[in-house]
Amino acid sequence: MSDKVMFTAVAAQGGNIGPFPTDSILKFDTIITNVGEGYDNTSGVFKAPIAGVYYFTFSYQAPKNYTSGLLLMKNDSVVVKAADHNGRGEYLTDNGGNSAILELALGDKVFMQLPANHCVWTADRTTSFSGFRISQ
C-alpha cells in the first residue's frame, strides 16, 4: 500500500445547507482529489487508511442573515471550530475556516460537523474540506 494519502472535497450542490435542528455531518459531494481513498463523499467521513500524522483544513462561506460555522471532529471529539454570523448586506459575504494537525491511528475518523441551527453556503465551491498525511 502506498503511504500517500490526500484529499480535497467541496460542497458544490449550491445554496444553503442547514440549518438543521440537530448536529449533522456535512457531506462534501464533489471529490477533487482522493489519493488513498480515505474520503467517502456518501458519508462525509475521512477514515485513515494508514496511521500517521495528518494535516486538515476547511473553509466555508456564511450565508446572509444566518449563524454559520463548522466543527472539525476526530472520532467523536471536537478538535477546532470556526463560526460567524453574516448579518450584512445582500452582496457582502463572510468566510471562515480553520486547520489542525492530528495524529491518527488506522481507522480513525475525521469529519466536518455542522452544529445545530447553523448553515453554510455551498455555491461556487466556497465550502471545502482537505487533508493529507504528513508523516508516519
Side-chain angles (χ1 to χ4, degrees):
M1 170 181 269
S2 172
D3 62 351
K4 293 182 181 178
V5 179
M6 58 193 81
F7 76 95
T8 293
V10 296
Q13 58 266 42
N16 288 353
I17 295 179
F20 302 117
T22 60
D23 296 345
S24 304
I25 294 175
L26 182 57
K27 297 175 185 174
F28 294 81
D29 61 322
T30 302
I31 294 173
I32 296 172
T33 303
N34 198 12
V35 175
E37 303 299 317
Y39 182 74
D40 177 7
N41 66 338
T42 59
S43 68
V45 175
F46 171 81
K47 187 175 179 182
I50 54 177
V53 177
Y54 288 77
Y55 175 81
F56 293 93
T57 186
F58 65 93
S59 64
Y60 66 92
Q61 187 170 359
K64 179 184 170 202
N65 296 323
Y66 284 97
T67 299
S68 189
L70 291 173
L71 309 175
L72 177 68
M73 305 290 292
K74 176 184 173 185
N75 298 319
D76 292 319
S77 299
V78 175
V79 178
V80 293
K81 305 176 184 182
D84 192 9
H85 179 78
N86 183 2
R88 296 196 247 162
E90 182 176 352
Y91 299 106
L92 297 175
T93 59
D94 287 348
N95 297 288
N98 212 333
S99 59
I101 296 172
L102 299 174
E103 188 169 6
L104 300 182
L106 174 66
D108 275 346
K109 297 177 181 178
V110 178
F111 58 93
M112 299 308 309
Q113 184 169 284
L114 184 64
N117 304 312
H118 287 62
C119 69
V120 293
W121 178 254
T122 64
D124 300 322
R125 299 176 178 229
T126 56
T127 298
S128 64
F129 179 35
S130 297
F132 58 91
R133 186 169 176 262
I134 299 169
S135 69
Q136 296 179 337

